[in-house]
């Protein structure tokens, strides 16, 4: 295991020749895994708090729009199960993605989390909960604290454009969170607590009741963390040598609460109804303004979300069903002052942005012919945006109809054809097709996929009229009503071998995006300054004189992302499982004749997890060693690139079947075993990729009572 870690670190940090030699060694190592896996076939057991099963062929829904085994889907899907997430000692949604998927990276800040998938940022990634869109982007950041990890059954990630099924925004990929609710007669209460350094605490409490077709599922989640910085110094403005102390946080602390309630009712085997709601609250916890040191702030960012949905499914037969869902999602955020200022008292709240989304979908899944599945669907969505700081109060609707037909044409060969027609209130009609082919002889799978993507510019990109002052500097952003929709073409080839003990997958892809919407810096001259002061009467002459540029949303020429992914999972011998994932991503954009690397993109990244489980009677031990390795993170403009790193974590869980009605699972582990941190001095041209505060002890306890 140590050898493999060294090899992968050298792989992501070495040159081309080094990578070629190390790739050969790694492939030989994977080959040895395959041989051992064939020798040591393990017998699967029912999972409980003590017995553990590593499922290499789970049921998925995101790739095809209907439930099927992972090996049977013509579109490759990555699956992160709740069991794997828990065994790695992960308690947050962003932690699960970053530590288990090398093609994902994140940068946390006070405005949420800047998420990237395969080199592309938040606005190109569609996040779903049980197939329904999650709202809550904040200045192109996402409030991931709205996702209730207490209810996650699995996370499915679909790479590349998927607009034929999911519509706008699905250009980089789709992340679909599938939630869990028991369907056996029971009453269950559970508490899951995790504590680590820097005030990090996660607490999840659930109450589940299911009786004679009726289910009630209640959950409460509390998360908190303190702000911190690694190096207490920063460079004085406009100096590369003089430093001063600062309390500006590298990681922004917060506290959040999430309350969820869901009801289900199944009067018979044909009909299933559901209704649910979620309320979320989050407020940052940052250092307050001080006279003796820089970096403090007068206010905290406060976020509130409320989401409710109704849905149902009627199954005519095992292969024919009709589904309907309706979702309303509200999200707002603003500034809550905790320091008295000239204009605001302690406790005053100033709203920045309010969003509302209404979405209704009707979908039929039909088995019209033997060995085929046909999907017909219609979708209506309306988005509202009120932004006080951006002077926006706008709304837009979208109508869509789609169809997909999946059929086994002959032995071992399956084809999927899909097409979506989207009518956008502002941008009229757009067609997004999909074609997926799969040849599946025995345990092998060979897949080829083409899919189109479509993204309508957001209301902020169209109508923003924004002015603010940050540390004495005026900041101005304008929307652009003449923007064109972004369109993409995604191609991928995949080869896979999968059986009960090993799964090996190799995927190459190309994603090309046209008319990418970017914020372009426009130089300011004397005429422009007068225009800006007319547009924003609150701007002073001194602020205008100091401006060198303002931001305007524009379409650039195109984007180009090429990538390679290698995924290996194996039950090497009974009780020992290994997974290795590697992603190579080359992401860039072209404006005019100049190509530039996409902001925050990472060329090489890998994740590794080795898991050992053994049980003795009513006690089960699980030991998990996992690593996250990546090369440097690219930044554009005047910013320097952030260095690569390797983080290793060790986590153990101890399961006790106390009695028939109670389970007790304490856990203990170490995050960042080798105390890897980025302790560079903060500066105006320096950004970060590693936000870990260093080595931390992690302690957890899960208690479950069931009847």
């Amino acid at each position: 295991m140590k050898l493999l870690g060294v090899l992968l670190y050298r792989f992501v940090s070495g040159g081309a020749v080094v990578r070629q030699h190390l790739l050969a060694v790694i492939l030989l190592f994977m080959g040895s895994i395959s041989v051992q896996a064939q020798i040591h076939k393990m017998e699967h057991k029912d999972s409980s708090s003590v017995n553990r099963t590593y499922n290499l062929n789970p049921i998925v829904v995101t790739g095809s729009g209907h439930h099927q085994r992972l090996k049977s889907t013509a579109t490759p899907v990555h699956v992160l199960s709740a069991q794997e997430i828990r065994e790695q000692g992960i308690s947050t949604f962003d932690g699960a993605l970053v530590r288990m998927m090398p093609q994902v990276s994140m940068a946390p800040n006070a405005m949420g989390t800047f998420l990237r998938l395969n080199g592309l940022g938040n606005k190109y990634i569609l996040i779903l909960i049980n197939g329904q869109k999650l709202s809550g982007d904040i200045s192109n950041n996402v409030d991931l604290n709205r996702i209730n990890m207490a209810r996650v059954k699995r996370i499915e990630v679909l790479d590349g454009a998927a607009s034929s099924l999911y519509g706008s925004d699905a250009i980089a990929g789709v992340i679909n969170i599938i939630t869990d609710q028991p369907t056996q007669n029971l009453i269950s209460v559970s508490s899951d607590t995790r504590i680590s350094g820097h005030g990090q605490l996660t607490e999840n409490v659930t109450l589940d009741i299911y009786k004679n077709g009726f289910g009630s599922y209640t959950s409460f989640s509390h998360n908190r963390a303190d702000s911190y910085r690694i190096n207490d110094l920063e460079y004085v403005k406009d100096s590369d040598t003089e430093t001063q102390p600062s309390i500006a946080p590298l990681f922004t602390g917060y506290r959040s609460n999430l309350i969820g309630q869901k009801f289900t009712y199944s009067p018979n085997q044909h009909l299933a109804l559901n209704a649910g709601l979620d309320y979320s609250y989050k407020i940052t916890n940052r250092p307050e303004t001080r006279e003796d040191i820089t970096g403090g702030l007068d206010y905290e960012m406060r976020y509130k979300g409320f989401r409710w949905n109704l849905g149902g499914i009627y199954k005519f037969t095992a292969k024919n069903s009709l589904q309907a869902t309706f979702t309303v999602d509200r999200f707002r955020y603003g500034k809550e002052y905790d320091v008295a200022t000239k204009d605001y008292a302690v406790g005053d709240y100033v709203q920045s942005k309010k969003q509302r989304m209404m979405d209704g979908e009707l979908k039929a899944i039909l088995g019209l012919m033997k060995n085929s599945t046909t999907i017909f669907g219609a979708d209506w969505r309306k988005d509202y945006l009120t932004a006080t700081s951006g002077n926006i109060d706008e709304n837009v609707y979208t109508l869509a109809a789609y169809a997909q037909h999946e059929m086994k044409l002959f032995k071992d060969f399956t084809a999927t054809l899909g097409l979506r027609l989207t009518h956008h209130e502002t941008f009229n009609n757009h067609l997004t097709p999909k074609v997926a082919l799969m040849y599946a002889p025995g345990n092998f799978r060979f897949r080829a996929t083409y899919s189109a993507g479509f993204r309508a510019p957001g209301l902020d990109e169209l109508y923003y009229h924004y002015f603010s002052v940050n540390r004495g500097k005026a900041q101005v952003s304008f929307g652009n009503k003449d923007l064109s929709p972004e369109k993409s073409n995604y191609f991928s080839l995949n080869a896979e071998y999968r059986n009960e003990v090993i799964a090996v997958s190799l995927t190459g892809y190309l994603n090309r995006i046209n008319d990418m919407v970017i914020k372009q810096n426009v130089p300011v001259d004397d005429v422009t300054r007068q225009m800006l002061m007319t547009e924003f009467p609150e701007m002073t002459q001194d602020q205008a004189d100091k401006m060198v540029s303002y931001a305007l949303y524009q379409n650039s020429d195109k984007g180009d992302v090429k990538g390679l992914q290698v995924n290996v999972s194996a039950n090497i011998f009974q009780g020992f499982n290994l997974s290795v994932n590697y992603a190579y991503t080359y992401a860039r954009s072209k404006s005019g004749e100049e190509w530039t690397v996409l902001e925050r993109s990472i060329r090489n990244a890998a994740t590794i997890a080795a898991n050992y489980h053994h049980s003795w009677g009513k006690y089960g031990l699980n030991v998990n060693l996992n690593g996250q390795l990546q090369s440097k993170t690219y930044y554009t403009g005047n910013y320097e690139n952030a260095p690569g790193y390797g983080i290793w974590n060790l986590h153990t869980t101890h399961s006790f079947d106390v009695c028939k009605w109670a389970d007790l699972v304490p856990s203990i582990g170490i995050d960042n075993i080798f105390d890897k941190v980025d302790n560079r001095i903060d500066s105006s041209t320096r950004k970060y990729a590693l936000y870990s505060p260093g080595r931390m002890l992690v302690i957890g306890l899960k208690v479950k009572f069931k009847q």
Side-chain angles (χ1 to χ4, degrees):
M1 189 64 213
K2 182 177 180 181
L3 174 61
L4 182 60
V6 172
L7 289 174
L8 281 172
Y9 178 78
R10 293 291 303 277
F11 187 88
V12 300
S13 60
V17 176
V18 173
R19 282 196 288 268
Q20 291 174 5
H21 288 289
L22 290 180
L23 181 59
V25 176
I26 292 171
L27 290 175
L28 287 173
F29 180 82
M30 293 175 179
S32 69
I33 291 176
S34 176
V35 174
Q36 294 178 56
Q38 295 294 343
I39 296 173
H40 301 286
K41 287 193 175 182
M42 70 175 289
E43 180 181 346
H44 288 263
K45 300 178 181 179
D46 294 332
S47 61
S48 69
S49 64
V50 171
N51 292 322
R52 195 257 193 220
T53 302
Y54 193 85
N55 190 354
L56 297 181
N57 190 31
I59 292 176
V60 296
V61 66
T62 307
S64 61
H66 63 94
H67 291 86
Q68 58 185 169
R69 288 290 178 183
L70 183 60
K71 71 176 184 180
S72 301
T73 179
T75 306
V77 177
H78 307 277
V79 181
L80 312 179
S81 71
Q83 178 176 269
E84 294 172 277
I85 294 171
R86 184 171 58 252
E87 289 174 348
Q88 292 198 22
I90 299 170
S91 60
T92 61
F93 177 73
D94 53 344
L97 291 180
V98 171
R99 283 169 55 169
M100 301 176 72
M101 297 193 63
Q103 63 266 47
V104 177
S105 65
M106 298 198 186
N109 57 45
M111 302 302 292
T113 302
F114 194 91
L115 171 66
R116 298 198 78 87
L117 174 63
N118 296 318
L120 296 172
N122 289 328
K123 64 181 182 179
Y124 301 106
I125 305 166
L126 185 61
I127 298 180
L128 309 173
I129 298 179
N130 295 320
Q132 305 304 308
K133 181 180 178 180
L134 176 71
S135 294
D137 61 290
I138 314 164
S139 301
N140 284 331
N141 294 270
V142 179
D143 184 10
L144 298 178
N145 289 95
R146 299 192 70 199
I147 298 171
N148 189 351
M149 290 299 290
R151 287 296 178 202
V152 170
K153 181 178 182 179
R154 65 182 184 273
I155 300 170
E156 299 181 5
V157 181
L158 174 65
D159 289 317
S163 291
S164 64
L165 273 180
Y166 299 107
S168 180
D169 303 341
I171 286 181
V174 177
I175 301 174
N176 193 7
I177 298 101
I178 309 298
T179 61
D180 186 27
Q181 54 268 338
T183 55
Q184 297 177 339
N185 290 339
L186 57 76
I187 299 177
S188 172
V189 181
S190 70
S191 171
D192 194 352
T193 307
R194 181 183 186 271
I195 303 172
S196 61
H198 294 276
Q200 297 184 25
L201 166 68
T202 301
E203 173 67 35
N204 295 317
V205 180
T206 63
L207 169 63
D208 299 335
I209 302 172
Y210 189 86
K211 185 71 173 179
N212 299 329
F214 173 80
S216 172
Y217 311 99
T218 309
S219 62
F220 170 75
S221 179
H222 174 73
N223 291 276
R224 67 186 307 144
D226 294 339
S227 293
Y228 59 79
R229 56 182 294 125
I230 306 304
N231 193 315
D232 292 333
L233 297 176
E234 69 176 10
Y235 284 110
V236 175
K237 182 182 176 183
D238 300 326
S239 173
D240 294 330
T241 57
E242 186 181 356
T243 62
Q244 64 185 8
S246 174
I247 56 174
L250 172 67
F251 174 86
T252 300
Y254 66 91
R255 63 181 187 273
S256 70
N257 295 315
L258 180 62
I259 301 171
Q261 175 65 56
K262 184 173 184 178
F263 297 104
T264 62
Y265 180 57
S266 301
N268 53 55
Q269 61 181 352
H270 296 289
L271 180 63
L273 304 173
N274 67 82
L277 60 87
D278 292 283
Y279 169 78
S280 62
Y281 172 90
K282 175 185 174 182
I283 189 166
T284 58
N285 179 20
R286 301 181 293 188
E288 296 180 359
T289 302
R290 289 167 47 182
E291 294 183 359
D292 61 326
I293 195 169
T294 66
L297 293 144
D298 297 335
Y299 58 86
E300 304 294 349
M301 299 302 302
R302 193 185 79 185
Y303 320 95
K304 289 185 178 181
F306 183 74
R307 175 186 176 94
W308 62 269
N309 64 278
L310 300 170
I313 177 172
Y314 186 83
K315 293 185 177 181
F316 302 95
T317 64
K319 294 193 63 177
N320 296 275
S321 64
L322 185 65
Q323 303 177 15
T325 58
F326 182 75
T327 303
V328 176
D329 197 350
R330 299 172 181 265
F331 182 77
R332 65 179 64 193
Y333 77 93
K335 302 173 181 178
E336 184 175 295
Y337 282 80
D338 51 7
V339 174
T341 68
K342 178 181 177 181
D343 299 316
Y344 301 104
V346 174
D348 283 353
Y349 172 75
V350 180
Q351 182 172 287
S352 299
K353 183 185 284 189
K354 180 172 66 175
Q355 298 171 261
R356 178 160 59 103
M357 180 200 73
M358 296 189 295
D359 184 273
E361 183 177 16
L362 184 65
K363 181 167 72 171
I365 302 176
L366 307 171
L368 300 177
M369 296 179 286
K370 185 178 180 181
N371 297 324
S372 74
T373 301
T374 304
I375 298 176
F376 294 105
D379 183 84
W380 169 85
R381 192 174 98 193
K382 191 158 189 176
D383 291 289
Y384 299 80
L385 174 63
T386 302
T388 306
S389 59
N391 195 25
I392 298 176
D393 189 4
E394 299 285 348
N395 62 81
V396 65
Y397 74 84
T398 305
L399 288 171
Y402 60 92
Q404 179 177 283
H405 183 65
E406 178 182 303
M407 185 174 184
K408 181 175 288 188
L409 299 179
F410 48 85
K411 183 182 178 182
D412 300 330
F413 189 84
T414 301
T416 302
L417 301 176
L419 184 66
R420 186 184 190 97
L421 173 62
T422 301
H423 174 75
H424 190 276
E425 183 178 2
T426 305
F427 300 107
N428 300 319
N429 301 322
H430 291 271
L431 285 171
T432 47
K434 170 186 175 179
V435 179
L437 305 174
M438 181 175 71
Y439 176 56
N443 291 324
F444 289 93
R445 301 290 183 272
F446 301 97
R447 300 178 175 96
T449 302
Y450 164 76
S451 54
F454 162 77
R455 179 185 173 271
L459 291 170
D460 54 346
E461 295 169 327
L462 292 171
Y463 301 110
Y464 232 41
H465 191 262
Y466 176 82
F467 170 78
S468 70
V469 180
N470 185 15
R471 298 184 180 182
K473 283 189 174 182
Q475 297 179 332
V476 173
S477 295
F478 287 109
N480 185 351
K481 298 178 184 179
D482 296 324
L483 290 174
S484 300
E486 297 175 88
K487 300 173 286 293
S488 71
N489 293 287
Y490 177 80
F491 307 86
S492 73
L493 294 173
N494 168 264
E496 175 184 279
Y497 177 85
R498 183 182 297 273
N499 60 24
E500 290 184 349
V501 294
I502 188 169
V504 181
S505 176
L506 177 65
T507 304
Y509 66 87
L510 171 64
N511 199 357
R512 287 186 166 166
I513 307 104
N514 293 317
D515 295 321
M516 294 181 74
V517 176
I518 62 170
K519 260 188 179 182
Q520 188 75 42
N521 289 324
V522 180
V524 171
D525 55 23
D526 290 339
V527 175
T528 308
R529 289 187 178 90
Q530 293 303 313
M531 179 272 292
L532 293 175
M533 293 183 68
T534 302
E535 288 286 332
F536 305 101
E538 63 270 38
M539 181 185 294
T540 66
Q541 183 66 56
D542 182 62
Q543 291 168 348
D545 290 341
K546 291 180 180 179
M547 288 192 65
V548 295
S549 66
Y550 68 89
L552 175 66
Y553 285 103
Q554 293 182 341
N555 291 106
S556 71
D557 291 346
K558 61 182 178 180
D560 187 274
V561 183
K562 305 179 181 72
L564 176 70
Q565 296 176 9
V566 180
N567 306 98
V568 180
S569 299
N571 297 316
I572 297 181
F573 54 83
Q574 186 167 352
F576 184 71
N577 319 109
L578 179 68
S579 64
V580 180
N581 305 290
Y582 166 75
Y584 169 82
T585 307
Y586 183 45
R588 57 182 186 161
S589 63
K590 182 181 182 182
S591 184
E593 297 300 321
E594 183 179 356
W595 284 98
T596 58
V597 178
L598 275 179
E599 179 85 0
R600 297 182 187 269
S601 62
I602 300 166
R603 197 68 54 87
N604 298 281
T607 61
I608 305 168
N611 193 88
Y612 174 74
H613 178 90
H614 190 76
S615 59
W616 297 267
K618 293 179 180 272
Y619 167 72
L621 170 66
N622 194 93
V623 181
N624 189 286
L625 177 66
N626 60 82
Q628 175 195 352
L629 306 97
Q630 68 177 49
S631 57
K632 65 183 178 182
T633 301
Y634 291 93
Y635 287 96
T636 57
N638 296 323
Y639 294 103
E640 65 180 59
N641 298 326
Y645 61 86
I647 296 289
W648 291 91
N649 312 289
L650 179 67
H651 190 74
T652 67
T653 54
H654 310 266
S655 304
F656 299 89
D657 284 343
V658 178
C659 57
K660 294 179 67 175
W661 49 269
D663 296 331
L664 183 66
V665 187
S667 62
I668 186 169
I670 301 174
D671 279 354
N672 197 350
I673 299 172
F674 301 109
D675 199 25
K676 181 69 174 179
V677 296
D678 186 348
N679 59 2
R680 294 175 298 158
I681 298 176
D682 200 1
S683 75
S684 60
T685 61
R686 184 163 290 164
K687 292 190 177 182
Y688 295 82
L690 176 59
Y691 294 86
S692 171
R695 185 188 300 114
M696 291 191 299
L697 179 68
V698 182
I699 299 174
L701 177 63
K702 181 175 182 180
V703 182
K704 184 173 183 179
F705 301 95
K706 53 193 176 182
Q707 182 178 353

